[in-house]
Amino acid sequence: MSETETPATRPIRTFHPRRGRMSSRHADAHAALWSRLGLTVIDGDRTPLDLVELFGREIPVVLEIGFGMGDATAAMAAADPGRGYLGVEVHTPGIGNLLALTGELALDNVRVAHGDAMELAHRIAPESLDAVHVFFPDPWPKARHHKRRLIQPSNVVLLRERLRPGGVLHCATDWPQYAEVMAETLDADPGLRRLPAAPHGRPETKFERRGAAAGRPITDLRYERR
């Protein structure tokens, strides 16, 4: 527990705490790049995050929540050099892998945060993000765990407020029941407008491949801030 956190204010986690051993490739990338590209998220820290300082220039920024191993994030950043990608994850091997990919591809538009994405969102100024990506968040399928789902009304409000007018909140899941709840929650937010279905415009993730192998359809939901 951090110094600014109490049992009464401790955030409800929207993720499983995950620890894993980094490979030598990941560890080497972390040692070489973390001081320049990394950001540690501390619970309860509300210090404003200067995105211009973080990226070293003024650039539209995408917040990528839960990037897994980072392969899709690196591919999007490589194909979209005019925007900055701020990825946040709790899985340390994934952090190491995204750092390794960033170095190997010589990407200058990727920054990597370690910690709770919603705690990080509190540090980002309103109307400062070009997009927020929430791809394949933990569905927390058991009813007693539904309060831990990331797409909750209060979280949606926080994320929507961080978007510039016209900015896009893009969610994806391969759990049909969660997709229904996501759509209901996002449709109910008065500050969001659902966008028409668009051609597949992002790299395939391992979750999509697993879902396809298991016969689970992918639901993409895209909303624009009014």
Side-chain angles (χ1 to χ4, degrees), residues 9-218:
T9 62
R10 187 183 307 165
I12 295 175
R13 297 301 187 198
T14 61
F15 54 87
H16 285 291
R18 301 176 66 194
R19 298 183 185 276
R21 180 175 297 177
M22 288 190 185
S23 69
S24 58
R25 170 174 167 267
H26 296 162
D28 289 346
H30 192 281
L33 298 174
W34 180 257
S35 63
R36 181 166 61 89
L37 305 181
L39 171 68
T40 299
V41 180
I42 300 173
D43 290 346
D45 182 6
R46 298 295 183 261
T47 306
L49 180 62
D50 187 330
L51 295 176
V52 174
E53 180 180 357
L54 183 67
F55 283 92
R57 63 195 187 281
E58 190 164 353
I59 186 173
V61 174
V62 178
L63 177 63
E64 186 91 5
I65 295 177
F67 56 76
M69 292 303 290
D71 302 80
T73 303
M76 285 187 286
D80 188 18
R83 295 199 295 179
Y85 282 75
L86 173 55
V88 55
E89 179 57 74
V90 295
H91 186 44
T92 50
I95 288 170
N97 194 58
L98 180 54
L99 287 169
L101 291 170
T102 299
E104 291 160 6
L105 297 172
L107 301 175
D108 66 354
N109 62 332
V110 174
R111 298 295 182 269
V112 184
H114 181 201
D116 189 326
M118 300 313 299
E119 289 290 296
L120 176 61
H122 279 288
R123 296 185 56 193
I124 297 173
E127 300 190 4
S128 60
L129 295 175
D130 202 55
V132 176
H133 294 167
V134 184
F135 296 154
F136 306 97
D138 194 322
W140 293 101
K142 295 180 180 179
R144 69 176 184 272
H145 292 154
H146 284 182
K147 64 183 178 181
R148 296 185 179 276
R149 287 175 167 174
L150 194 146
I151 300 301
Q152 303 271 357
S154 59
N155 289 343
V156 170
V157 169
L158 177 62
L159 295 175
R160 183 248 296 159
E161 289 177 345
R162 269 58 195 164
L163 287 168
R164 63 167 178 78
V168 173
L169 173 58
H170 187 176
C171 303
T173 182
D174 62 349
W175 284 76
Q177 297 85 357
Y178 194 15
E180 292 177 8
V181 174
M182 277 185 175
E184 290 174 2
T185 302
L186 294 165
D187 285 341
D189 189 294
L192 294 174
R193 179 179 70 88
R194 194 194 283 217
L195 295 173
H200 200 292
R202 55 179 173 76
E204 185 180 56
T205 71
K206 69 176 182 179
F207 297 101
E208 287 172 280
R209 293 190 291 272
R210 289 177 182 173
R216 293 197 300 267
I218 306 301

